Amino acid sequence: MFRALVLEKEGDAAVAHVRELDESVLPAGEVTVAVEYSTLNYKDGLCLSPTGGGLVRAWPHVAGIDFAGVVEASEDARYKPGDKVVLTGWRVGEVHWGGYAQKAKVKADWLVPLPAGLTTRAAMAVGTAGFTSMLAVLALEDHGLVPEKGEVLVTGAAGGVGSVAVAILARLGYQVAAVTGRPETEGYLRDLGAARIVPRAELAETVKRPLESETWAGCIDAVGGAMLARVLGQMKYGGSVAAVGLAGGAGLPASVIPFLLRGVNLLGIDSVTKPYADRVRAWGRIVTDLPMDKLEAMVRPAVLADLPALGSAILKGEVQGRVVVDVNG
């Protein structure tokens, strides 16, 4: 038997309860993992909502799009009992049961060995949000970004993706400008390494001019919508924007002019089905380039019973940093 946060349909709405389950109900997979920690991402908030956010298709369901733990049993030669592993993406927690449980059973292809020097708790302080941040940094570097080129903008900076992005970029020597709509997070962001704070209102609306002054050498954007459109017109020549989220909307009311006249690059960042080699590369860079003291400063601890309320809060933009869920707590 194991404990899990189970989403069940009650009438027209999904409701979450901590339940005791038998291991026989776990879905198909080659590897059974004794989960130690999970975390909370925006997508988890959607899954925990009364509708399942359009992501959950079958009930009952165990959400949690990432987890870290120890292999308990394996039918795949790549993993053996006792190995520590991390999972992010692959629609786990959406169409496949996820990490909000003491046990998970998944395909071996979805796992990555826990990098040396990282605990399972730290891996979930990173989680999908931090993993996505690292992928964005790598994409910007691969397109020529170096600290000497100028300031790098991070939108949605106090959220999970943004917090880790600020800490990594600052560690690498970049001048980071952090966008936030919550003035109370300014001290938090400066502690992570932000050199200046940009009020969200300054970038919240589109303008008629397709180009503004060249300001940013690079950008990691977690917002999308009108803010992304505005940022594109402020990029330096040849600069790149790594798009990682849509907290401000899925539309893009933008002009093609920044691409045609300034050679701006818009880089889409997918963390769900990223190939194995790219995952290993990103986790390796996380170990070397994410300051662990800064990571710890982002952490908000939680247990399974806390998740319904936290899921609602993250959808409202009320969660700062990274929630780390002790599934055994």
Side-chain angles (χ1 to χ4, degrees):
M1 302 293 289
F2 65 97
R3 285 192 308 128
L5 184 72
V6 182
L7 293 170
E8 300 166 319
K9 268 295 183 72
E10 295 182 4
D12 293 331
V15 180
H17 300 282
V18 177
R19 303 287 195 200
E20 289 279 342
L21 301 177
D22 189 275
E23 191 172 327
S24 63
V25 303
L26 286 169
E30 296 99 16
V31 183
T32 302
V33 178
V35 179
E36 294 182 346
Y37 294 95
S38 187
T39 184
L40 179 74
N41 302 279
Y42 190 86
K43 192 179 286 186
D44 293 312
L46 292 173
C47 292
L48 292 169
S49 70
T51 63
L55 301 175
V56 179
R57 306 296 172 84
W59 316 90
H61 181 70
V62 176
I65 67 169
D66 41 16
F67 63 78
V70 180
V71 173
E72 196 170 81
S74 176
E75 300 169 13
D76 189 284
R78 288 171 288 178
Y79 297 102
K80 63 182 185 302
D83 288 348
K84 294 185 177 183
V85 292
V86 179
L87 182 142
T88 61
W90 300 111
R91 302 207 70 192
V92 169
E94 301 173 50
V95 299
H96 191 93
W97 278 20
Y100 292 163
Q102 292 174 313
K103 290 185 188 292
K105 196 170 186 180
V106 296
K107 291 184 178 181
D109 287 342
W110 297 345
L111 297 169
V112 174
L114 182 74
L118 207 62
T119 65
T120 53
R121 181 179 182 277
M124 285 299 97
V126 175
T128 291
F131 174 67
T132 303
S133 299
M134 192 72 248
L135 291 175
V137 171
L138 290 171
L140 292 175
E141 290 179 344
D142 290 346
H143 282 77
L145 183 66
V146 291
E148 294 73 26
K149 290 193 173 181
E151 278 187 296
V152 179
L153 188 72
V154 177
T155 69
V161 176
S163 294
V164 179
V166 169
I168 291 172
L169 289 166
R171 173 68 170 265
L172 292 172
Y174 291 93
Q175 290 291 304
V176 182
V179 181
T180 181
R182 295 179 278 171
E184 68 275 12
T185 65
E186 179 173 342
Y188 166 77
L189 291 168
R190 290 196 182 277
D191 287 343
L192 292 180
R196 70 161 160 147
I197 306 299
V198 179
R200 181 169 59 198
E202 291 187 9
L203 296 171
E205 296 181 2
T206 55
V207 294
K208 292 182 179 180
R209 301 184 307 279
L211 296 175
E212 298 182 73
S213 297
E214 296 184 43
T215 306
W216 318 114
C219 173
I220 295 177
D221 175 60
V223 176
M227 186 174 293
L228 174 56
R230 184 76 181 276
V231 169
L232 288 169
Q234 298 179 355
M235 297 302 296
K236 290 186 174 183
Y237 187 90
S240 299
V241 178
V244 302
L246 42 62
L252 184 58
S255 164
V256 299
I257 297 300
F259 307 115
L260 302 180
L261 297 187
R262 285 192 184 158
V264 171
N265 305 296
L266 180 57
L267 312 175
I269 306 300
D270 164 58
S271 66
V272 177
T273 57
K274 205 69 173 171
Y276 179 83
D278 294 331
R279 291 174 181 271
V280 171
R281 179 192 180 201
W283 279 106
R285 284 287 301 274
I286 285 167
V287 172
T288 59
D289 297 333
L290 175 58
M292 289 299 115
D293 60 330
K294 304 296 186 186
L295 180 65
E296 185 59 36
M298 303 175 201
V299 170
R300 174 177 179 175
V303 296
L304 290 175
D306 298 328
L307 285 165
L310 288 170
S312 176
I314 200 170
L315 295 181
K316 298 174 185 175
E318 296 172 353
V319 173
Q320 174 180 294
R322 300 288 298 126
V323 174
V324 176
V325 183
D326 181 354
V327 301
N328 298 297

